[in-house]
């Protein structure tokens, strides 16, 4: 088994993390400013992953995103619209802003429990249908058995598959790997999963699917960001971070924003390196900025 800590000169320090997270929590109210909230808004992957999603509902969501700046002058556009893979083509067809990407969860999301051939086919088809970004789930079945080679190889093969499909269209694809940190019961496992995913080619590492009982937490985010920093120091490659699952309030957003700023620095506070997976958060930010209740999404 590879010694990631020796390779990257890092191991989790729970006491130091807890002290820093306490300081961040105590100062959150001071971070809730208009510029910070608008920045958070620009880094959202506006998400709909419901069992009853339809082409009509996804078209309506896409049209709402298209009209954000008309409805709310001065607001930035979000980073992407995130949907199931069979709706990637719908988002591509109806979106009118090139800077808003099409994100598709794929690879047998949310469990990643299927044959690798099926995962590859689904990811490749999502790219062919217009996805700019693919969010997959780490093969926890392999990872938790200690079969790191299999878990890593799946990511590498998916990376190769989507890159090949995109190259035929003259495009590049962003790959996000979801660690499902709520099922990784220690900082140690979260750190090892983070390094494994980054080594295998992830452009972003992401906390959660939003489909399990424990999703994004500040502690998981802090550990993942520390791993990103250690990986960057060793390799010079910047990997992005995406908290997702249960992020619904302004203070939630500002908490993760501050963790990224503290651990990784201001250069990571950009949609190219930091995203939020959101459904309810967008309305919370709009309401806070307008000082009235809004339910746009």
């Amino acid at each position: 088994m590879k010694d990631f800590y020796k390779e990257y000169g890092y191991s989790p320090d729970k006491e130091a993390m807890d002290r820093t997270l306490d300081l961040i929590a105590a100062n959150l109210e001071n971070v809730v400013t208009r510029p910070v909230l608008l920045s958070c808004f620009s880094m959202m992957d506006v998400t709909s992953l419901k069992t009853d999603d339809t082409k009509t509902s996804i078209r309506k969501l896409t049209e709402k995103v298209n009209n954000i700046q008309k409805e709310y002058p001065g607001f930035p556009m979000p980073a992407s619209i995130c949907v199931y893979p069979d709706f990637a083509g719908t988002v591509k067809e109806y979106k009118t802003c090139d800077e808003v990407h099409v994100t598709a969860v794929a690879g047998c999301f949310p469990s990643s429990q299927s044959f690798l051939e099926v995962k590859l086919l689904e990811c490749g088809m999502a790219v062919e249908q217009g996805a700019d970004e693919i969010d997959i789930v780490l093969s926890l079945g392999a990872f938790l058995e200690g079969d790191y080679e299999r878990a890593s190889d799946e990511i590498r093969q998916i990376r190769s598959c989507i890159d090949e499909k995109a190259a035929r269209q003259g495009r590049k694809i962003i790959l996000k790997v979801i660690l499902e940190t709520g099922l990784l019961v220690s900082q140690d496992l979260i750190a090892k999963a983070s390094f494994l995913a980054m080594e295998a080619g992830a452009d972003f590492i992401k906390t959660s699917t939003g489909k399990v009982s424990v999703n994004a937490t500040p502690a998981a985010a802090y550990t993942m960001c520390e791993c990103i920093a250690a990986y960057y120091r060793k390799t010079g490659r910047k990997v992005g971070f995406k908290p997702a699952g249960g992020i619904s309030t302004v203070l939630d957003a500002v908490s993760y924003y501050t963790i990224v700023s503290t651990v990784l620095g201001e250069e990571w506070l950009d949609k190219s390196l930091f995203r939020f997976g959101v459904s309810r958060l967008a309305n919370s930010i709009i309401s806070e900025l307008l000082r009235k209740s809004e339910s746009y999404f």
Side-chain angles (χ1 to χ4, degrees):
M1 184 180 296
K2 181 170 184 175
D3 188 341
F4 291 110
Y5 298 157
K6 182 177 180 181
E7 176 77 14
Y8 294 102
Y10 165 82
S11 61
D13 184 338
K14 187 176 186 306
E15 290 185 2
M17 177 189 74
D18 288 344
R19 287 195 299 270
T20 303
L21 288 177
D22 285 344
L23 290 172
I24 289 173
N27 191 52
L28 286 183
E29 295 287 353
N30 295 323
V31 186
V32 181
T33 64
R34 182 177 179 85
V36 167
L37 293 182
L38 289 174
S39 180
C40 289
F41 196 89
S42 74
M43 296 183 287
M44 295 188 309
D45 290 345
V46 177
T47 302
S48 185
L49 299 173
K50 300 191 291 290
T51 304
D52 61 349
D53 283 340
T54 64
K55 183 173 181 178
T56 298
S57 68
I58 297 302
R59 175 180 60 79
K60 289 179 178 178
L61 174 65
T62 304
E63 289 173 348
K64 281 182 177 290
V65 172
N66 291 339
N67 291 324
I68 282 173
Q69 292 181 327
K70 177 181 176 182
E71 297 292 330
Y72 302 105
F75 277 49
M77 296 298 286
S80 84
I81 301 170
C82 179
V83 294
Y84 282 116
D86 50 327
F87 294 117
T90 302
V91 177
K92 180 183 179 182
E93 178 182 357
Y94 289 103
K95 77 179 183 77
T96 57
C97 180
D98 289 342
E99 71 178 271
V100 176
H101 284 186
V102 180
T103 297
V105 297
C108 300
F109 175 98
S111 69
S112 192
Q113 296 282 23
S114 190
F115 303 102
L116 176 58
E117 292 84 354
V118 176
K119 299 178 186 181
L120 292 170
L121 180 62
E122 186 178 61
C123 290
M125 290 178 70
V127 173
E128 289 174 340
Q129 291 295 309
D132 304 296
E133 308 185 3
I134 297 291
D135 289 17
I136 64 169
V137 182
L138 171 70
S139 178
L140 288 176
F143 181 81
L144 293 174
E145 285 284 339
D147 191 349
Y148 288 9
E149 183 59 36
R150 179 182 151 205
S152 176
D153 184 61
E154 283 207 1
I155 298 171
R156 293 180 192 278
Q157 289 202 47
I158 291 171
R159 169 91 267 175
S160 178
C161 171
I162 62 176
D163 285 348
E164 179 184 342
K165 297 290 187 183
R168 294 176 185 174
Q169 301 173 340
R171 301 193 296 128
K172 291 186 177 180
I173 297 294
I174 292 170
L175 176 65
K176 308 191 199 86
V177 177
I178 304 164
L179 308 185
E180 201 67 289
T181 53
L183 300 181
L184 302 178
V185 295
S186 68
Q187 281 183 274
D188 178 67
L189 285 176
I190 292 170
K192 288 176 179 176
S194 298
F195 287 125
L196 182 149
M198 290 188 287
E199 282 192 350
D203 296 306
F204 278 74
I205 52 176
K206 176 178 170 182
T207 59
S208 319
T209 62
K211 304 297 186 181
V212 297
S213 58
V214 177
N215 291 291
T217 66
Y222 192 93
T223 300
M224 291 169 69
C225 287
E226 285 204 315
C227 292
I228 290 170
Y231 182 82
Y232 175 61
R233 289 193 296 269
K234 174 75 174 181
T235 68
R237 186 169 81 91
K238 292 179 178 178
V239 173
F241 172 63
K242 179 178 174 179
I247 301 172
S248 60
T249 71
V250 165
L251 289 180
D252 288 337
V254 168
S255 174
Y256 292 110
Y257 181 97
T258 308
I259 289 169
V260 170
S261 176
T262 300
V263 179
L264 293 169
E266 291 190 3
E267 60 192 305
W268 256 263
L269 299 176
D270 180 85
K271 66 181 179 181
S272 65
L273 290 168
F274 182 26
R275 298 288 182 83
F276 292 98
V278 308
S279 53
R280 293 169 292 170
L281 178 62
N283 287 333
S284 297
I285 291 178
I286 294 170
S287 297
E288 178 69 22
L289 288 168
L290 298 183
R291 300 294 182 180
K292 63 178 183 178
S293 180
E294 288 282 296
S295 297
Y296 182 68
F297 288 103

